[in-house]
Amino acid sequence: MDDLNALADEHLAVARSSAHGRSAHRLLHEEPLRQTVIALTSGSALDEHNAPAAASLQVLRGRVRLTAASGDVELSAGGLHPIPQERHGLLALEDAVVLLTAVNE
């Protein structure tokens, strides 16, 4: 079993040393379910992209803004929010680590 706290610390350290300010690690990939830890340094972003069939975002560390045409949502550590069924992006408002849970068709 993976330790989310240890993974968050590890990937935040990697993101801080990365030129792109991010790091990711896929925890689980058992079709159709996927879980990924994503670390972003403050100001780093995941550009707009398509949504999977169903997904949620849980913030493990820091603060992020989930951006979408239907409206932006700010989340902080402990926050959990569904990913909208539309193109969306993610911006780190401070160094952050999130757990993305997605179901693909």
Side-chain angles (χ1 to χ4, degrees):
M1 182 60 71
D2 290 298
D3 180 333
L4 287 177
N5 285 318
L7 283 170
D9 292 342
E10 174 186 343
H11 286 278
L12 195 50
V14 172
R16 287 175 175 148
S17 66
S18 166
H20 299 291
R22 58 185 183 242
S23 178
H25 173 75
R26 184 169 289 164
L27 289 172
L28 176 70
H29 190 192
E30 294 183 17
E31 290 301 330
L33 182 63
R34 260 189 352 226
Q35 286 190 306
T36 307
V37 169
I38 303 168
L40 300 165
T41 57
S42 182
S44 296
L46 297 178
D47 293 333
E48 190 176 277
H49 53 280
N50 293 325
S56 67
L57 190 71
Q58 180 179 1
V59 182
L60 303 175
R61 302 260 198 300
R63 215 164 41 96
V64 297
R65 178 179 299 131
L66 180 62
T67 59
S70 60
D72 296 354
V73 176
E74 288 191 14
L75 300 163
S76 56
L80 176 66
H81 194 74
I83 302 289
Q85 290 295 301
E86 60 187 333
R87 290 184 62 78
H88 63 280
L90 186 67
L91 172 67
L93 300 174
E94 58 189 48
D95 288 0
V97 182
V98 299
L99 176 63
L100 172 66
T101 300
V103 175
N104 292 315
E105 294 181 309

